[in-house]
Structures are given as structure tokens and as C-alpha cells.
Amino acid sequence: MNIVILAAGQGKRMHSNLPKVLHPVAGKALAQHVIDTARSLAPEKMVVVYGHGGEVVRSTLNSADILWAKQEPQLGTGHAVAQALPEISAMGQTLVLYGDVPLTKASTLKRLLQAGKDGLSILTVNLLNPAGYGRIVRDAAGQVQRIVEEKDATPEEKLICEVNTGIMVIPSSHLADWLGRLSNKNAQGEYYLTDVVALAVAEGVPIHTAQPDGEWEVLGVNSKVQLAELERVHQRNLADAMLVGGVRLADPNRIDVRGELGYGRDVFIDVGCVFEGKVELGDAVEVGPYCVLKNVKVGAGTRIAAFCHFEDAVIGPDGVLGPYARLRPGTELGPEVHIGNFVEVKKSKIGAQSKANHLAYIGDAEIGQRVNVGAGTITCNYDGANKHLTIIEDDVFIGSDTQLVAPVRVGRGATLGAGTTLTKDAPPDALTVSRAKQISLTGWVRPQKIMSS
Ligand code: UD1
Ligand code: CA
């Protein structure tokens, strides 16, 4: 089986410098959705037809299993498929997909391929408003005769509600012959792929149709309006699948998954959260409202409060995070770690039961177990040229407003007094304080404001 993906169209109505098929749905290019679905059908050959100026399409989507065919100029869908002929095999079936129709399910395409086993098959839908689409013309016995484009249709043909989705399976052995016989003598002056249907009928090749489970499967993108509509449809489908899978969502219309979201049992997600890349939520994880998680693994039982932003982080079980916590790449938190409001952690390991509950920056640090990081603590990891490591061993207590000037080590069980600027290692089990002795001046008078006359 060959798959040909048409992606040469310009997409003028997108009003964008980005080629249409590279616009994202759920964070992934339209054509990438199509390629991924196509790949799941294990075709022998997969050809993407790209257009003039489409080098960025090619470089963005490139992968070893994709063959490329350039169509320049663009003379219609039939002409587009013809450009792929040198790349495909003349055996079996050829499935034609559109690079701007991203959500067709693999199961629907399998059904279409099955229907077309002994001939040609067309994916059709019945639309209340068929305007703009090619219509499926059947004879009195209900046999498909041909497809007529809107612009070439008679008033009677325009009343037909069964339309061509554009997705079609054609016997490969006939393809070169039929495409070679297409004419562009029609309203648009284009070589229509749809005209192969009449040629097949004339040769007695059986024509079949199949329908998708949902109309959204065959919706294409021509404008930002349609792109936004498709995004919502797709997100709602993803949310519904999560509900079916046992996740509790505060509102299935207010969640965005732009990647892969894995989850255990009894997970709860509040409104407005965005999940990007690969995210895994363990059993009973709770995610509060308006959190952004990108490439994050969250251990079972961890609770994330509102407005957190986590990226490339691994979070242990039974953690308590946020609100307003930020975990940056390279963060690894052990079990039962607490990270509170306005705490930023970068490229650091924090051991079990350690806490940084308020206003801190922890970067390039290794923190042991049961450590308490006081409010306002900062690891001064950067000397203006290089990054240095801060090591804080188990059971350390760090007083508020402490600066740890790295590289520096705080020994097991040590206490740092509030306001300490630590520039040398602190020994274990001792109190280390760097601030000046507190003094009080009696009889000291505050400066007075000078009154102008
Ligand atoms: C096509 C069908 C129509 C169907 C409709 C469904 C034809 C003649 N008509 O019409 O029956 O109802 O799709 O949406 O096939 N493309 C190229 N090169 C070209 C022209 C198009 O690669 O020279 C690609 C486009 O990028 C797009 C797809 O083919 O992905 C469809 O092209 P478009 O112009 O949107 O087709 P329609 O005229 O809408
Ligand atoms: Ca067109």
C-alpha cells in the first residue's frame, strides 16, 4: 500500500508566513498528525507532495520513512498525485490523504482501505450544507458514477448532500494511466483527482464509499478560524478520552494537552492547565488551576496547587507544590518534598521530606533529606562566568535570607543563622552565622525633614 499526502497548497487564507500544513493543532503540525496516522497504517511507501517554497515543510517534517515529491506549479489535486508517481509502487492500493486534514482516525482509513480492496473507495460524508465540496453523483441504483466539483455542478447536482472528503483509495495499477488521461477543461482549469472516479466507472472498476465515525475527522483547515475550531474539537476529544480513562476534570472544555499525557487512577485536574511534551501523572495526583507542565513526571499522591510552571522535572510521590512554584529543567524532587510559593528550582536534586516553602532560588544544588530551606534563601550559583554547585547535606536548617555562595557545602545537621552569607563550607552539627553582631544605640535620633519656608 502507498500513501500520498497532498501538502502543496498555499494556504493564502491563513495570512501567515508559515506554510499552512505546519500550523499546529495540539502543538503538532497539521501535516505531522497526518504523517503519524499514515505511519500507523504501515504503508510500503509514504510520499508527501510539497509545493513551491515548501523547503521549510520538507525540513520540518523530514524523517527517513518519508519520500518527497515537489509539485511546482500547482495544477490541481490530480496533478499533485501525479508528481508522486515516480516514488510509489504500481502494486496494491494508493491512499490519498490531505496534509491539512489532521484528525482522520486510523480506524476510519482502515475501513476505507478494506472497502476498496477490489476497486476504488471514497471517504464521503453527508453534510447539511455541502457548499464548496465535490458532490458524489450516484445513478438510480445508488452506484457512484462520478464526482462533480461545486464550480462545475448543475443546480440539481448542487442539491446532493453526500460530499467527497478528498480522501480516496485508488488501485495503484491504474493510477498512472488514469492520471495521464485527466483534463483541465473545467471551471477551475485544474487537473482534478476526482475525475479518476468516472474513468474507473468507465472501465468497470467497482467504486465503494465509506464514512468516518465523526464529521470532525474530515474537517480541513483553510483559515485561523478553522484551525481554532479544530483545536477545540481535538482537545475535547482528548478530554473525553481522559474522563473515560478515569481522570476527573473540573471542566473538559478547559484543558489543553499538547503532547502525551499519561495518568494513573484517581487523578484530578482543575481548569486551565496546559500539558506539553511527555507528562506522566501518578495515582491520585491533583493538579490545581492554571498550571503548565512540560515534560514532567509526577509521583503518586503529589498535590500541585494553582499557577505552577514545571519543565523537564521529576517529582517524587506525596509532594506538596505551589501555588506559584517554578521547577526548571533538571529538577529532581524526592518523596514528600514541599516547594512553596515563589520558589524557583533549577538543575537540582532535593531529597525526601525537604522543604523550601517561600521565596527562594535553588540552582545547581544537591540537597539531602529533611532539609529546611528558609524564606529568601538563594544559591549564588553563578559567578558571572561559571556555574558552581551547592551541596546541602541531610537534616540541615537554613535560616531565612541566606545566600550560599557556590561552590560551597553545608555539613549534615548544620544550622545557618538567618541572613548568613555563606562563602566557606559550614561544618556539620554547628551553628554558622556570618552577620555582624547586633548593637543598639540609645539616644540615637532619626533625621528630621527639613522644612522649606
Ligand atoms: C478537493 C476536492 C473536492 C473535495 C474537497 C474536500 C478535487 C478536485 N476536489 O477540493 O472534491 O470535496 O477537496 O476538501 O480534488 N493540493 C495540492 N496541489 C494542488 C492542489 C491541491 O497539493 O495543486 C492539496 C492542498 O494542499 C490540499 C488538498 O490538496 O491539502 C486539497 O486541495 P484544495 O484546493 O483544498 O481542494 P478543493 O478545491 O477544496
Ligand atoms: Ca481548489
Side-chain angles (χ1 to χ4, degrees), residues 418-438:
T420 293
T421 299
L422 194 73
T423 51
K424 290 178 291 198
D425 290 357
D429 299 317
L431 169 66
T432 299
V433 202
S434 74
R435 60 181 184 246
K437 269 230 165 60
Q438 181 169 327

Side-chain angles (χ1 to χ4, degrees), residues 76-77 149 151 188 190 192:
T77 49
E149 291 303 295
K151 289 187 175 128
Q188 301 186 79
E190 289 181 7
Y192 292 163

Side-chain angles (χ1 to χ4, degrees), residues 182-409:
L182 294 180
S183 136
N184 65 352
K185 296 201 170 54
N186 51 50
Q188 301 186 79
E190 289 181 7
Y191 295 93
Y192 292 163
L193 178 64
T194 44
D195 285 349
V196 302
V197 174
L199 295 174
V201 170
E203 289 181 19
V205 173
I207 313 289
H208 304 279
T209 57
Q211 283 72 42
D213 296 324
E215 216 175 89
W216 52 266
E217 283 189 65
V218 296
L219 294 178
V221 172
N222 294 302
S223 66
K224 296 267 168 74
V225 174
Q226 289 172 332
L227 186 69
E229 281 169 1
L230 224 57
E231 179 78 37
R232 285 349 297 162
V233 168
H234 185 53
Q235 290 300 341
R236 182 61 207 236
N237 287 341
L238 294 175
D240 286 346
M242 290 171 74
L243 292 170
V244 169
V247 176
R248 189 161 66 88
L249 298 175
D251 182 351
N253 289 317
R254 284 186 288 169
I255 173 170
D256 285 85
V257 180
R258 302 175 193 152
E260 273 173 65
L261 177 58
Y263 47 82
R265 294 175 78 83
D266 297 309
V267 165
F268 170 67
I269 300 170
D270 214 321
V271 299
C273 294
V274 178
F275 299 92
E276 295 180 68
K278 200 167 167 21
V279 176
E280 270 178 63
L281 306 178
D283 290 346
V285 164
E286 292 181 11
V287 184
Y290 302 103
C291 292
V292 177
L293 275 66
K294 179 175 185 181
N295 299 323
V296 173
K297 194 172 170 176
V298 186
T302 288
R303 285 176 291 137
I304 301 168
F307 303 112
C308 287
H309 191 285
F310 301 161
E311 181 175 359
D312 294 315
V314 179
I315 299 165
D318 300 313
V320 178
L321 306 168
Y324 302 104
R326 176 160 187 223
L327 303 182
R328 290 173 51 206
T331 296
E332 285 177 42
L333 308 183
E336 297 173 57
V337 167
H338 292 203
I339 301 291
N341 36 217
F342 308 109
V343 174
E344 173 182 349
V345 184
K346 186 218 77 170
K347 204 177 174 192
S348 295
K349 287 186 183 156
I350 301 183
Q353 297 178 353
S354 289
K355 297 176 182 176
N357 271 329
H358 331 269
L359 299 158
Y361 173 62
I362 299 169
D364 302 290
E366 284 175 15
I367 298 181
Q369 305 187 10
R370 298 172 300 278
V371 169
N372 194 309
V373 176
T377 297
I378 290 173
T379 55
C380 309
N381 57 329
Y382 185 52
D383 59 13
N386 297 297
K387 300 277 169 69
H388 300 282
L389 192 64
T390 298
I391 296 172
I392 301 171
E393 296 181 353
D394 293 346
D395 300 300
V396 164
F397 182 96
I398 302 198
S400 299
D401 194 27
T402 293
Q403 300 93 51
L404 299 117
V405 182
V408 76
R409 174 187 291 263

